[in-house]
Amino acid sequence: MKKYLFIVVSMFALLLAACGDDSADSGESSEYRTVYSGEIKTLNYLKTAETNEFALSANLVEGLIEYDQYGVVKPGLAESWESNDDATVWTFKLRDGVKWVDHEGKEVADVVAQDFVDGLNYVLDAKNESSTAWIATVVKNGDAFYNGEVTDFSQVGIKAIDEKTVEYTLEGQTPYFLSMLNYVCFFPVSGEFLAEKGEDFGTTRENILYNGAYVLDKFEPQNERVLVKNDKYWDKETVKIDRIRYKYNKEAATVAPELFLRGEIDGAAIPTSILDEWLNSEDKKDLVRQNNNNFYTYFYALNFDPQYDAEYEPENWKVAVNNKDFRKSLYHALDRVSAMLTIEPYNPQDLLSNTITPKNFVDVEGVDYTLLEPLKAITENDSFDKDSAMKHKEAAMAALNGKATFPVKVVLPYNSGSPEWANRSQVVEQQLENLLGTDYIDVELYAGPATGFLGEIRRPGKFSMIEANWGPDFADPSTYTDPFTEGGTYNKPELAEGYNGEYDKLVAAAKAEIDPAVRYELFAKAEAFLIDEAFVIPYAVGGGGYVASKLNPFESQYSPFGVTSEKFKGQSILEKPMSNEEFKSAKEAWEKERAEALANASN
């Protein structure tokens, strides 16, 4: 993404959960094993924004803060911090004894304040093409430096006051700045090591340094990667899993359940195609449980700058998609429940989302953001409406008569490494064509690559309509606007006829407002515009589905944004998988404990 450009993989991809041959309570070394199909292309955490890449990096490198299992901010590499009254200047004191180590775990250097300066310098240097630079422009002159308007990095709002003190000066009041630090663009790097490695930085396990809970002991693309506990880690007592072993299998999502039953891995997503069998089997039913929802937002993006082959008639699609009635016909015709049944056959409504910003993300004096006007009406009404879909179809065909050729080809790609995504795409194809008619649209499914789907399909715009996702990076509604503002690499709504930059203007007005109540209302207005114009079709939240896992999901660090939830730190391996009843009981207890923890943190 331009920020959290989450690689567009299956909404409910394989849960990375496993343990080794040694039992969790044996006192011996514990190993966590899993399989994967989507290979990483870089270890350069300052450049990447793909989920599987920064998920790995989150366990190898750490930043200033982290979160506990209830979502309360706690010290990371910074042992303390403070801000000025208007939250424009933030000062962090680093803890002593934090070490950079090499791939063999040997000490290389201390982590110092200048490492954070050097990391941000790299991210904001446009020639490095960091996919996360946008979020770092929150610092003063960050955007100006990135665009070459300021050439002296000392004018950018970050300073190493001394070896253990780093200070950030921001463009404006940013009370949620702590939550932004939970993302990779604010991670440190050893400037000396970075200069030594140059363009080779992050290409192999030898070409990065580590200050996190794990070191990359083995890195063989499309074969295996192994993480081992970092004995020099400042908080190593909280790291309970000694080794994490990822084994490549291009059919990982399909074969994982059987590998789990054979004891070769200890965590697998259970696809809906075999879920009934597992839930109704005496020897399997206690091995499977629900998975938690998260704050990833999923939506269907309509592309205003199609770049696929001429045989699929991109120019004809462009004419059609610029008609609002055509877009609204697709918006109201998509039966999201039918699509969601491919993931959650029992409670599909639990995952549906009518908005881009999920419920329970932020609130204004107890009122959830999604219930603010004018977003409230969208939140409370299902977009699927057969009568409205047909009404807009008729209006579109009348308006496009002589301008577009019917049926309009709708190129709908999916990731071939995800069987559930493939199944869901087939359901969407059949459902849309059955409702709107093959005289109106011709949905063309396209199986994209399992590895590199984001770079090969979504970013280049090789689609008419695509299931995409986005995750929050900090605790503010603006974090969900970036896929759709000008310069984003999703569906280019700024190119729509009659758009006139309206969404960007609304977002800019919201960002300029400091008062949270007014600010959130302005963001709600911008989001309502985006949805009312059917530039995007909100679909669901992430997570959900069913898994068999020996990890306790309520031990992991919790945060709706950043990379916290990708960490294995704090987690341990259960003797046996958690059953669904155990999961429900543990979730209920966790929710009560979290409410108490958040209340205590706010006092």
Side-chain angles (χ1 to χ4, degrees):
M1 55 188 195
K2 204 173 96 183
K3 54 156 258 180
Y4 236 47
L5 282 186
F6 281 98
I7 185 171
V8 188
V9 295
S10 170
M11 186 180 304
F12 308 96
L14 176 64
L15 178 71
L16 300 180
C19 74
D21 298 327
D22 304 305
S23 65
D25 60 353
S26 65
E28 300 178 4
S29 176
S30 60
E31 184 176 81
Y32 169 115
R33 302 169 300 169
T34 186
V35 290
Y36 70 97
S37 61
E39 188 55 83
I40 66 173
K41 300 185 290 296
T42 183
L43 297 172
N44 186 348
Y45 54 92
L46 297 175
K47 187 170 184 174
T48 186
E50 297 194 5
T51 306
N52 57 348
E53 292 173 351
F54 62 64
L56 178 64
S57 296
N59 292 285
L60 308 177
V61 183
E62 285 197 356
L64 292 165
I65 59 98
E66 58 185 3
Y67 288 79
D68 66 14
Q69 69 268 38
Y70 303 116
V72 177
V73 178
K74 58 185 292 188
L77 299 190
E79 62 181 5
S80 65
W81 55 82
E82 61 182 9
S83 70
N84 63 351
D85 291 340
D86 64 1
T88 58
V89 179
W90 292 75
T91 306
F92 298 83
K93 293 289 185 180
L94 303 186
R95 64 176 68 251
D96 293 326
V98 179
K99 304 293 183 180
W100 286 114
V101 301
D102 64 15
H103 65 286
E104 295 179 333
K106 297 178 181 177
E107 289 186 23
V108 175
D110 290 335
V111 175
V112 295
Q114 185 61 36
D115 296 338
F116 291 88
V117 178
D118 292 338
L120 201 62
N121 192 345
Y122 181 95
V123 169
L124 289 174
D125 189 337
K127 74 174 185 294
N128 295 322
E129 299 180 336
S130 172
S131 297
T132 64
W134 81 273
I135 191 173
T137 58
V138 68
V139 301
K140 185 177 181 179
N141 286 331
D143 190 62
F145 183 82
Y146 184 84
N147 292 319
E149 298 162 11
V150 169
T151 57
D152 181 0
F153 191 74
S154 67
Q155 301 302 308
V156 176
I158 182 172
K159 294 179 181 178
I161 303 300
D162 56 42
E163 192 172 79
K164 294 297 181 182
T165 309
V166 59
E167 177 187 89
Y168 293 87
T169 301
L170 310 181
E171 285 283 4
Q173 299 183 53
T174 314
Y176 52 87
F177 183 61
L178 281 181
S179 65
M180 301 180 80
L181 298 174
N182 192 31
Y183 198 52
V184 289
C185 63
F186 289 104
F187 280 11
V189 69
S190 168
E192 182 178 344
F193 184 85
L194 181 63
E196 175 190 335
K197 296 300 179 181
E199 293 184 357
D200 290 332
F201 179 74
T203 56
T204 68
R205 69 189 182 98
E206 294 87 0
N207 286 334
I208 63 169
L209 294 181
Y210 310 80
N211 68 13
Y214 293 91
V215 170
L216 191 54
D217 184 59
K218 188 174 184 180
F219 181 49
E220 298 176 355
Q222 296 195 328
N223 179 28
E224 188 177 41
R225 55 181 182 257
V226 179
L227 280 64
V228 297
K229 184 176 178 178
N230 178 6
D231 287 336
K232 304 297 190 303
Y233 180 53
W234 68 272
D235 197 21
K236 64 181 180 180
E237 290 77 13
T238 64
V239 182
K240 302 173 185 177
I241 301 175
D242 297 295
R243 179 178 284 102
I244 304 165
R245 188 180 301 275
Y246 301 79
K247 192 71 177 176
Y248 177 79
N249 188 314
K250 66 179 181 178
E251 304 296 335
T254 302
V255 303
E258 181 59 31
L259 294 177
F260 176 85
L261 290 175
R262 297 204 311 242
E264 296 182 27
I265 62 173
D266 290 279
I270 308 302
T272 54
S273 58
I274 62 172
L275 183 57
D276 280 343
E277 173 197 340
W278 279 62
L279 291 176
N280 294 311
S281 169
E282 285 298 322
D283 59 341
K284 297 176 184 176
K285 65 180 182 181
D286 289 334
L287 305 179
V288 64
R289 64 166 173 82
Q290 292 172 271
N291 202 8
N292 276 323
N293 294 354
N294 58 43
F295 287 88
Y296 290 55
T297 183
Y298 285 76
F299 50 89
Y300 281 91
L302 304 181
N303 188 9
F304 291 88
D305 188 27
Q307 299 295 321
Y308 43 80
D309 293 343
E311 65 178 295
Y312 296 110
E313 304 171 1
E315 291 304 314
N316 193 55
W317 164 261
K318 190 181 294 187
V319 172
V321 78
N322 271 290
N323 178 271
K324 182 176 179 178
D325 282 305
F326 181 81
R327 300 194 302 270
K328 296 287 279 189
S329 70
L330 296 175
Y331 174 84
H332 288 297
L334 180 65
D335 183 352
R336 300 174 304 160
V337 171
S338 295
M340 187 54 64
L341 287 170
T342 63
I343 303 301
E344 173 50 271
Y346 299 99
N347 300 290
Q349 291 86 352
D350 289 350
L351 289 166
L352 296 186
S353 178
N354 296 346
T355 54
I356 296 298
T357 306
K359 295 178 180 179
N360 302 318
F361 180 63
V362 291
D363 65 80
V364 177
E365 297 178 352
V367 178
D368 191 76
Y369 166 81
T370 64
L371 295 177
L372 299 175
E373 299 292 352
L375 208 52
K376 182 178 180 181
I378 294 173
T379 298
E380 295 179 340
N381 293 283
D382 189 354
S383 60
F384 179 55
D385 185 327
K386 293 181 180 179
D387 292 339
S388 292
M390 296 306 293
K391 180 185 71 174
H392 286 293
K393 170 192 172 180
E394 293 172 5
M397 293 192 78
L400 294 172
N401 184 33
K403 299 178 182 178
T405 301
F406 291 96
V408 176
K409 293 184 183 298
V410 183
V411 178
L412 182 67
Y414 60 89
N415 188 306
S416 60
S418 170
E420 287 185 340
W421 194 349
N423 292 340
R424 188 161 56 256
S425 298
Q426 292 173 10
V427 169
V428 169
E429 174 192 26
Q430 295 167 6
Q431 187 264 315
L432 287 177
E433 288 184 346
N434 288 342
L435 176 54
L436 293 174
T438 53
D439 63 321
Y440 184 62
I441 57 170
D442 176 15
V443 178
E444 300 275 0
L445 297 187
Y446 176 75
T451 298
F453 182 89
L454 175 65
E456 293 189 30
I457 303 298
R458 209 271 297 144
R459 279 180 178 162
K462 296 180 180 179
F463 65 93
S464 305
M465 177 175 170
I466 197 169
E467 179 186 303
N469 63 9
W470 189 263
D473 293 322
F474 47 85
D476 186 72
S478 61
T479 192
Y480 284 103
T481 66
D482 294 281
F484 315 109
T485 49
E486 187 171 358
T489 60
Y490 274 70
N491 56 336
K492 304 288 185 180
E494 69 270 18
L495 300 179
E497 293 177 6
Y499 174 76
N500 297 323
E502 185 63 25
Y503 179 70
D504 292 81
K505 294 174 186 176
L506 292 168
V507 168
K511 288 182 175 180
E513 179 57 52
I514 300 301
D515 180 4
V518 179
R519 179 183 178 90
Y520 289 7
E521 287 179 358
L522 290 173
F523 275 118
K525 182 179 179 181
E527 184 166 339
F529 167 82
L530 188 76
I531 299 169
D532 284 336
E533 290 292 320
F535 291 131
V536 63
I537 307 173
Y539 175 40
V541 293
Y546 290 79
V547 298
S549 174
K550 285 188 177 180
L551 288 186
N552 179 348
F554 305 108
E555 284 185 334
S556 63
Q557 295 184 26
Y558 176 81
S559 173
F561 30 77
V563 298
T564 283
S565 61
E566 309 294 348
K567 293 183 178 182
F568 292 105
K569 177 181 177 179
Q571 297 188 73
S572 57
I573 300 168
L574 302 172
E575 284 189 52
K576 62 181 182 65
M578 183 182 285
S579 70
N580 206 39
E581 289 305 312
E582 290 170 332
F583 170 80
K584 291 178 180 178
S585 177
K587 183 176 183 179
E588 182 179 358
W590 175 83
E591 288 175 339
K592 292 179 181 178
E593 292 166 2
R594 180 170 186 255
E596 183 177 343
L598 293 175
N600 291 336
S602 64
N603 293 333

